[in-house]
């Protein structure tokens, strides 16, 4: 987006809520200043006119955004001229409205195809938590519209990556959303590349897009995951990627956990057993920095050297302090509440204990959890893992479990999983087959982290061309040369030294309808690192934590008239 801005000198940039998040995810205010953007304004808020300056509008093509834009120029123009950039295709009726009232003020009007959020280097979202309810609620009246919107966003992702992928979806006898979305994406991709600016129809590229539903693996987003990022978002109150903590002097501090924090990027996928070591390592580094500070103060020349390095020094110390606090918070929660619970969770999820002995009676594993004073949410998670391990239970047994957890008035936490195609009550007519798992007995694992997300199996099978076409039908074929491992892509220049080099190889794009967990995000990096010649990118409508997913599941049974509070929470 910054390249587009350079067309004008000393401009005002006007953003809507989505494009504000978009800009925040990929550039800083200093970047905008270097492109001669002097002011950033909110499209929806009242603004003072600046008639001597040009305005750049980056906005989503919605009626609300277009109406706000028209209001800026309809009566008395607020700015000298308008340079309008839409994140996606602008419908004809909205475009005609703009032309009717503002044509003489618009210098540029373009669609730039970027209606998704780049969350991390290999993770994207559609910034739409409300899609979960729209797609899975039995009361939903806008499922088709939501799937259309997600399809449009996926097309802009492919366009941004300059990919025209083959599209496949996970076949499910109980659910049709993945199939429907695959059809929509394939159709829209075909239309998009027919309308290419170059006038040539783009051929398929070395990429695959796999679409699947949240119900394909209900275990991973419910388990207590013991890697740093997943654990922090599960156990600590982190909102909008912002961690709040108290410093030693008692003052409130905030830290943004994103790609700008290189220490966070390095640590986020490490296991809890390493976190304890990291905690003491950070203490040691801080101690060294303080000693260094006192040493440099001894001489004038030393003080001069320190002053030159002070901004970087302060930034590094601040980052280490943040993670010192965050690792300590994680360790405290883990040791007090989670450590004993994890063994039972892993036994239920994996179906065997640490020694590989099969769990013959899952109820014996679950019962100690129910009798221990864990939180209601933790008990609900354990009950769900028990039910998932059996592919459903009886009505009578479910009622007893609900009574044990004391959620008689909140049965929806458990029962509403059926809306995702996950069997809760076992019936002969409800067909559900557990996926075949890859043999990972040779891999070294921590005792409390034996479970591997199903999505990792999918990624590895896709890269090795081992996905069963009966379970993963092709909505559109990808080129015959596709091979994620790079075995047949001899014409491509593969270099495994960096992520940019890897982009000359294949791409595997995975989209999960209904949210992805942090453990699944981690898998994209692990598989990419292992394969080298194939970059794995994962995305969804939004990112879920165990708590947020349970609340969304519970809300599915609420009627259409009760959507206000849900949407309000989702957009917060």
């Amino acid at each position: 987006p910054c390249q587009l801005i350079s067309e004008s000198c000393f401009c005002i940039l006007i953003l809507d809520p989505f494009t504000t998040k978009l800009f925040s995810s990929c550039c800083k205010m200093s970047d905008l200043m270097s492109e001669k953007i002097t002011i950033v304004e909110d499209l929806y808020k009242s603004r003072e006119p600046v008639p001597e300056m040009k305005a750049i509008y980056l906005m989503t093509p919605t009626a609300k955004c277009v109406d706000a834009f028209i209001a800026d120029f309809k009566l008395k123009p607020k700015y000298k001229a308008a340079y309008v950039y839409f994140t996606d295709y602008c419908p004809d009726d909205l475009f005609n409205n703009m032309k009717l009232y503002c044509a003489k003020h618009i210098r540029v009007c373009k669609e730039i195809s970027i209606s998704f959020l780049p969350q991390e280097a290999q993770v994207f979202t559609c910034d739409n938590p409300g899609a979960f309810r729209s797609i899975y609620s039995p009361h939903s009246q806008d499922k088709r519209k939501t799937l259309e919107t997600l399809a449009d966003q996926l097309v802009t992702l492919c366009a941004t990556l300059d990919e025209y992928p083959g599209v496949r979806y996970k076949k499910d006898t109980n659910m049709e959303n993945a199939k429907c979305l695959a059809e929509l994406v394939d159709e829209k991709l075909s239309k998009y590349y027919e309308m290419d600016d170059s006038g040539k129809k783009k051929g398929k590229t070395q990429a695959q897009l796999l679409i699947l539903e949240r119900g394909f693996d209900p275990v991973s987003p419910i388990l207590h995951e013991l890697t740093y990022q997943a654990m922090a978002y599960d156990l600590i109150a982190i909102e909008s990627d912002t961690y709040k903590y108290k410093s030693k002097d008692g003052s409130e501090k905030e830290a943004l956990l994103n790609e700008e924090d290189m220490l966070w990027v390095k640590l986020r996928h490490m296991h809890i057993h390493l976190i304890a070591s990291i905690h003491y390592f950070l203490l040691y580094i801080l101690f060294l920095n303080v000693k260094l500070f006192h040493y440099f103060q001894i001489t004038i020349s030393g003080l001069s050297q320190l002053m030159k390095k002070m901004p970087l020094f302060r930034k590094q110390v601040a980052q280490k302090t943040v993670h010192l606090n965050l690792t300590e918070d994680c360790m405290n929660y883990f040791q007090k509440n989670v450590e004993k619970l994890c063994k039972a969770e892993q036994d239920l999820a994996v179906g065997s204990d640490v020694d590989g002995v099969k769990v013959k009676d899952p109820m014996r594993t679950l019962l100690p959890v129910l009798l221990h004073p864990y939180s209601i949410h933790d008990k609900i998670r354990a009950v769900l893992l028990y039910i998932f391990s059996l592919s459903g239970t009886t009505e009578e047994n479910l009622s007893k479990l609900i009574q044990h957890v004391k959620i008689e008035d909140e049965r929806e936490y458990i029962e509403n999983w059926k809306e995702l195609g996950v069997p809760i009550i076992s019936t002969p007519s409800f067909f559900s087959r557990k996926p075949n798992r890859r043999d990972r007995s040779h891999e070294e694992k921590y005792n409390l982290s034996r479970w591997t997300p199903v999505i990792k199996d999918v990624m590895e099978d896709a890269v090795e061309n081992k996905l069963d076409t009966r379970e993963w039908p092709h909505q559109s074929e990808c080129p015959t040369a596709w091979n994620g491992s790079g075995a047949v892509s001899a014409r491509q220049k593969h270099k495994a030294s960096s992520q940019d080099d890897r982009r000359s190889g294949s791409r595997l794009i995975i989209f999960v309808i209904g949210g992805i967990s942090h453990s699944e995000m981690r898998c994209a990096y692990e598989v990419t690192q292992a394969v080298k010649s194939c970059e794995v990118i994962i995305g969804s409508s939004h990112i879920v934590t165990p708590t947020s997913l349970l609340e969304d599941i519970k809300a599915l049974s609420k009627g259409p008239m009760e959507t206000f509070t849900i949407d309000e929470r989702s957009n917060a």
Side-chain angles (χ1 to χ4, degrees):
C2 289
Q3 291 175 350
L4 299 172
I5 293 167
S6 61
E7 294 179 20
S8 301
C9 294
F10 299 109
C11 297
I12 295 173
L13 178 62
I14 300 171
L15 306 171
D16 65 28
F18 174 78
T19 52
T20 299
K21 290 182 184 177
L22 178 61
F23 256 85
S24 299
S25 70
C26 55
C27 64
K28 296 177 284 189
M29 191 63 202
S30 57
D31 298 323
L32 297 179
M33 292 291 288
S34 67
E35 297 292 340
K36 300 182 180 178
I37 299 297
T38 56
I39 306 170
V40 179
E41 296 268 31
D42 187 327
L43 177 63
Y44 295 157
K45 290 184 179 176
S46 178
R47 287 166 274 117
E48 287 295 320
V50 190
E52 69 276 10
M53 292 186 74
K54 298 172 183 177
I56 298 170
Y57 289 78
L58 181 62
M59 57 190 188
T60 48
T62 63
K64 185 176 181 181
C65 284
V66 170
D67 287 346
F69 169 76
I70 291 172
D72 285 353
F73 292 92
K74 189 175 180 180
L75 298 176
K76 187 178 180 182
K78 285 188 175 181
Y79 309 106
K80 186 178 181 180
Y83 294 74
V84 182
Y85 297 94
F86 287 111
T87 58
D88 200 352
Y89 171 76
C90 181
D92 290 343
D93 58 329
L94 297 181
F95 180 75
N96 290 335
N97 240 7
M98 287 173 57
K99 196 164 69 171
L100 179 64
Y101 295 107
C102 311
K104 65 180 181 180
H105 303 291
I106 299 173
R107 297 291 178 269
V108 172
C109 187
K110 286 187 177 179
E111 297 155 347
I112 61 172
S113 295
I114 184 167
S115 60
F116 63 93
L117 284 186
Q119 196 77 26
E120 293 180 5
Q122 291 173 231
V123 180
F124 71 93
T125 74
C126 295
D127 191 38
N128 188 1
F132 185 86
R133 189 174 184 281
S134 295
I135 292 170
Y136 290 113
S137 171
H139 306 291
S140 175
Q141 298 171 353
D142 60 348
K143 179 195 282 194
R144 179 73 183 188
K145 183 181 176 183
T146 301
L147 290 172
E148 291 263 7
T149 301
L150 293 177
D152 288 333
Q153 291 176 289
L154 280 171
V155 169
T156 71
L157 172 81
C158 294
T160 301
L161 296 174
D162 194 27
E163 298 284 13
Y164 188 2
V167 181
R168 301 176 74 172
Y169 63 92
K170 180 69 172 73
K171 189 175 182 181
D172 190 326
T173 53
N174 303 311
M175 307 296 288
E176 292 285 323
N177 298 313
K179 182 174 187 285
C180 180
L181 184 58
E183 290 171 351
L184 288 169
V185 170
D186 191 52
E187 179 187 338
K188 289 173 184 287
L189 274 172
S190 179
K191 287 181 180 177
Y192 179 85
Y193 283 116
E194 277 181 354
M195 297 163 59
D196 201 359
D197 293 338
S198 63
K200 295 180 181 179
K201 186 171 182 179
K202 187 179 179 74
K204 293 280 187 177
T205 58
Q206 294 298 319
Q208 277 201 78
L209 169 61
L210 306 182
I211 297 174
L212 57 165
E213 301 203 44
R214 180 63 272 164
F216 84 101
D217 176 10
V219 173
S220 294
I222 291 301
L223 271 176
H224 277 93
E225 163 74 20
L226 299 183
T227 49
Y228 188 29
Q229 181 186 38
M231 195 173 181
Y233 277 80
D234 183 6
L235 303 180
I236 313 299
I238 296 173
E239 295 181 11
S240 301
D241 299 322
T242 302
Y243 167 55
K244 296 180 180 179
Y245 64 100
K246 283 189 177 181
S247 62
K248 287 185 178 179
D249 62 6
S251 60
E252 293 282 342
K253 298 278 187 180
E254 287 188 2
L256 197 58
L257 303 175
N258 61 13
E259 303 284 291
E260 293 293 318
D261 183 345
M262 294 312 296
L263 191 56
W264 169 250
V265 172
K266 288 178 182 177
L267 300 180
R268 63 188 174 194
H269 297 149
M270 288 189 178
H271 194 271
I272 182 65
H273 280 81
L274 294 172
I275 289 179
S277 303
I278 292 164
H279 181 80
Y280 293 113
F281 173 72
L282 290 173
L283 276 173
Y284 175 67
I285 294 296
L286 282 173
F287 170 76
L288 285 184
N289 282 334
V290 172
K291 296 284 282 185
L292 187 68
F293 181 83
H294 288 303
Y295 169 77
F296 272 126
Q297 279 184 323
I298 294 171
T299 65
I300 297 296
S301 61
L303 185 60
S304 176
Q305 291 176 46
L306 183 63
M307 291 303 288
K308 289 176 183 177
K309 297 180 180 179
M310 188 59 79
L312 179 62
F313 174 80
R314 283 177 176 165
K315 184 178 180 182
Q316 289 174 343
V317 170
Q319 285 182 351
K320 291 179 178 72
T321 304
V322 167
H323 294 289
L324 195 61
N325 281 276
L326 185 53
T327 53
E328 188 172 355
D329 285 350
C330 286
M331 288 300 296
N332 287 340
Y333 272 99
F334 174 71
Q335 291 166 350
K336 288 179 185 176
N337 306 308
V338 178
E339 192 169 6
K340 292 179 181 178
L341 180 62
C342 283
K343 183 188 180 302
E345 287 188 351
Q346 289 293 316
D347 289 355
L348 289 169
V350 178
S352 58
D353 63 16
V354 176
D355 300 318
V357 178
K358 185 178 179 181
V359 175
K360 294 181 180 178
D361 184 4
M363 181 55 78
R364 292 185 66 179
T365 305
L366 175 65
L367 202 55
V369 176
L370 298 181
L371 297 175
H372 193 277
Y374 291 116
S375 70
I376 296 294
H377 263 98
D378 283 342
K379 289 185 179 182
I380 291 172
R381 288 162 73 170
V383 167
L384 285 168
L385 291 171
Y386 163 80
I387 294 171
F388 298 158
S389 71
L390 299 172
S391 295
T393 187
T394 62
E395 287 271 14
E396 182 184 0
N397 195 30
L398 180 60
S399 294
K400 289 179 181 177
L401 290 170
I402 287 171
Q403 287 173 7
H404 267 296
V405 184
K406 297 179 181 178
I407 53 166
E408 289 91 342
D409 296 331
E410 297 177 304
R411 303 169 64 97
E412 299 89 352
Y413 278 124
I414 295 174
E415 292 179 344
N416 281 358
W417 282 86
K418 68 180 184 291
E419 306 298 346
L420 277 66
V422 178
I424 297 300
I425 302 299
S426 50
T427 59
S429 60
F430 199 101
F431 176 74
S432 176
R433 187 176 68 183
K434 287 188 176 182
N436 294 323
R437 301 304 310 270
R438 289 174 73 103
D439 179 18
R440 299 186 184 274
S441 56
H442 61 285
E443 297 179 8
E444 288 188 21
K445 292 185 178 180
Y446 294 100
N447 289 341
L448 299 183
S449 297
R450 288 171 282 132
W451 171 261
T452 300
V454 179
I455 198 74
K456 190 170 185 180
D457 290 359
V458 173
M459 292 172 181
E460 292 173 341
D461 285 346
V463 164
E464 296 170 14
N465 272 339
K466 291 182 179 177
L467 287 180
D468 189 335
T469 53
R470 291 168 297 181
E471 293 185 7
W472 292 89
H474 290 268
Q475 182 60 40
S476 65
E477 296 285 344
C478 52
T480 53
W482 160 265
N483 187 330
S485 64
V488 269
S489 302
R491 291 172 298 172
Q492 297 173 6
K493 298 176 182 177
H494 290 317
K495 296 178 184 177
S497 59
S498 72
Q499 189 180 52
D500 287 335
D501 292 331
R502 210 178 289 125
R503 285 173 184 164
S504 65
S506 313
R507 266 204 183 99
L508 176 64
I509 306 167
I510 293 184
F511 187 80
V512 181
I513 300 172
I516 48 172
S517 65
H518 290 93
S519 59
E520 291 164 332
M521 289 159 55
R522 187 189 74 249
C523 291
Y525 294 92
E526 290 174 347
V527 174
T528 301
Q529 186 61 36
V531 175
K532 308 290 188 203
S533 59
C534 179
E535 183 184 31
V536 181
I537 295 173
I538 189 168
S540 182
S541 50
H542 62 304
I543 296 169
V544 298
T545 63
T547 300
S548 71
L549 180 57
L550 286 176
E551 293 302 322
D552 286 342
I553 290 283
K554 181 188 175 188
L556 288 179
S557 53
K558 294 190 176 182
M561 295 303 291
E562 299 173 83
T563 59
F564 177 76
T565 54
I566 298 165
D567 289 344
E568 189 175 52
R569 177 178 61 78
S570 297
N571 294 327

